[in-house]
């Protein structure tokens, strides 16, 4: 879809309470995706907070999953466990890979390769950290308007038990999707 010079790996973890159909999101308080709810991903080259040119009606908050970049010598899976503990203060007992997103941005040769995981068993109580404020949401009330624009397209399939491969090319405003491709795989 777009030519990139390099890909940087990130993790993004969604913790699910499958008995009650709830998903744990984090209000990101700083960094890339600040004021979005996320499962949690991160990128080195975008550490600076997004300037306030963001449309505050469109992104009043940033709700995200939990995750981030890899530390030296760390595998993607190890990073996923570590990030969830660092950001939500819980310890995952399982970690299932449910998809991969490749994010590219207008005029940026660096792509983000975000590995998405689901956790269904954990110990501890989600607790606010310097970076994130965790909150449980019903599957039917996920605040997509406060999340990255791509989430609404692939996250429902994750909740439906599918494995996905996504590619999203963003405009400079970091919310307009200029190009996209989503493939679903039932049994990878
Ligand atoms: P730090 O910068 O705090 O973590 N991330 C994205 N997540 C979604 N759903 N869509 C995007 O569209 C994203 N771009 C980045 C990956 C960055 C976190 O944000 C995620 C990381 O978990 C562009 O290290």
């Amino acid at each position: 879809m777009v030519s990139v010079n390099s890909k940087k790996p990130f993790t993004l973890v969604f913790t699910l309470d499958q008995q009650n159909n709830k998903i744990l999101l984090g209000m990101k308080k700083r960094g890339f995706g600040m004021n979005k709810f996320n499962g949690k991903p991160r990128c080195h080259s975008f550490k600076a907070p997004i300037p306030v040119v963001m449309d505050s009606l469109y992104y009043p908050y940033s709700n995200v999953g939990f995750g981030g970049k890899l530390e030296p010598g760390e595998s993607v899976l190890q990073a996923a466990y570590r990030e969830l503990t660092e950001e939500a203060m819980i310890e995952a007992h399982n970690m299932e890979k449910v998809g991969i997103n490749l994010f590219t941005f207008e005029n940026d040769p660096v792509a983000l390769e975000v590995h998405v995981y689901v956790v269904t068993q954990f110990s501890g109580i989600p607790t606010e950290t310097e970076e994130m404020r965790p909150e449980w949401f019903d599957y039917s009330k996920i605040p997509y308007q406060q999340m990255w624009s791509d989430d609404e397209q692939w996250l429902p399939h994750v909740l439906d038990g599918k494995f996905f491969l996504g590619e999203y090319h963003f405009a400079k405003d970091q919310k307009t999707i200029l190009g996209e491709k989503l493939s679903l795989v039932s049994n990878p």
Side-chain angles (χ1 to χ4, degrees):
M1 185 192 305
V2 59
S3 68
V4 293
N5 289 346
S6 62
K7 284 191 253 182
K8 290 198 171 181
F10 291 85
T11 59
L12 178 57
V13 181
F14 291 94
T15 303
L16 305 182
D17 171 352
Q18 290 179 314
Q19 281 189 331
N20 297 301
N21 286 344
K22 286 183 188 287
I23 182 169
L24 184 68
L25 298 175
M27 171 64 70
K28 199 158 192 294
K29 293 155 69 179
R30 67 178 189 201
F32 191 50
M34 182 176 65
N35 291 334
K36 284 188 182 63
F37 271 114
N38 213 350
K40 171 167 179 149
R42 286 184 174 188
C43 173
H44 218 36
S45 52
F46 296 96
K47 264 302 176 191
I50 298 170
V52 191
V53 287
M54 280 195 320
D55 178 344
S56 61
L57 283 177
Y58 192 83
Y59 283 142
Y61 303 104
S62 183
N63 288 333
V64 293
F66 299 88
K69 64 181 184 302
L70 276 57
E71 291 191 342
E74 194 177 46
S75 70
V76 176
L77 184 60
Q78 287 168 335
Y81 276 98
R82 175 184 52 75
E83 289 282 355
L84 185 65
T85 301
E86 282 179 8
E87 294 195 347
M89 307 293 280
I90 57 175
E91 196 178 324
H93 295 178
N94 63 349
M95 186 71 72
E96 184 190 354
K97 183 111 161 218
V98 292
I100 302 174
N101 274 320
L102 189 71
F103 297 123
T104 52
F105 299 86
E106 214 176 359
N107 298 333
D108 191 332
V110 180
L112 278 60
E113 187 179 68
V114 179
H115 298 258
V116 183
Y117 291 87
V118 157
V119 168
T120 54
Q121 290 169 14
F122 63 92
S123 51
I125 298 170
T127 303
E128 183 167 354
T129 61
E130 255 184 43
E131 192 163 348
M132 301 280 256
R133 181 169 56 74
E135 188 174 338
W136 291 102
F137 291 89
D138 286 343
Y139 287 177
S140 60
K141 292 182 184 156
I142 295 176
Y144 285 114
Q145 71 286 355
Q146 298 171 18
M147 299 169 73
W148 285 103
S149 344
D150 52 283
D151 293 8
E152 191 163 12
Q153 300 192 22
W154 53 266
L155 187 52
H157 297 295
V158 168
L159 300 178
D160 203 24
K162 305 269 190 350
F163 186 95
F164 75 93
L165 293 172
E167 287 179 38
Y168 295 92
H169 183 52
F170 278 83
K172 284 186 214 147
D173 64 7
Q174 296 183 351
K175 67 180 180 185
T176 308
I177 296 175
L178 302 173
E180 62 194 78
K181 191 171 151 193
L182 179 64
S183 319
L184 301 178
V185 186
S186 289
N187 292 301

